[in-house]
Amino acid sequence: MLRVAVAVAAMLMPTMAFASWMPNCSLSADRSTLQVIASNPSDKAYYCQAWCRMKITGERAIQKFDCTFNLGKNAASRVMCKQDGGTAGHFSEVLPTKSTCVPR
């Protein structure tokens, strides 16, 4: 049992390091814009997709926003895609990001 736990932990370690720079959906300070922010500290370029889910103020339904982009080598953190809501407070919440990146 201990061997299985150690093996699983060893397999997850590279994923956790990779996940620390994966695309992330977030809201601007005034909650008027949804942004997909990403960086790439590696020497490989990636093709990425991010699936954002958010709530709009005053609405119960969850809205979706998809973003596809190329992420160059050693890229600094920046906004890759955005959806403008138009007014401050338009978005009330962003749910956890789902994303994937594959080497190009």
Side-chain angles (χ1 to χ4, degrees):
M1 186 66 163
L2 181 59
R3 286 184 194 170
V4 173
V6 171
V8 170
M11 289 187 322
L12 290 176
M13 287 177 68
T15 304
M16 285 187 252
F18 182 71
S20 67
W21 58 268
M22 289 291 286
N24 187 39
C25 303
S26 64
L27 298 177
S28 60
D30 68 354
R31 296 182 173 265
S32 67
T33 304
L34 175 80
Q35 306 169 337
V36 177
I37 300 172
S39 65
N40 180 8
S42 77
D43 289 333
K44 291 182 181 180
Y46 289 90
Y47 173 78
C48 300
Q49 291 182 295
W51 298 275
C52 304
R53 296 174 303 135
M54 68 285 193
K55 293 182 180 179
I56 295 175
T57 302
E59 294 184 16
R60 292 184 58 179
I62 295 173
Q63 304 295 317
K64 297 178 183 176
F65 176 70
D66 299 341
C67 174
T68 303
F69 57 94
N70 291 314
L71 190 55
K73 302 174 186 179
N74 302 304
S77 181
R78 69 182 185 102
V79 175
M80 305 307 289
C81 302
K82 64 181 181 178
Q83 181 174 355
D84 186 18
T87 60
H90 179 77
F91 297 104
S92 61
E93 181 182 0
V94 66
L95 301 170
T97 304
K98 293 182 181 183
S99 63
T100 186
C101 291
V102 294
R104 294 192 302 145

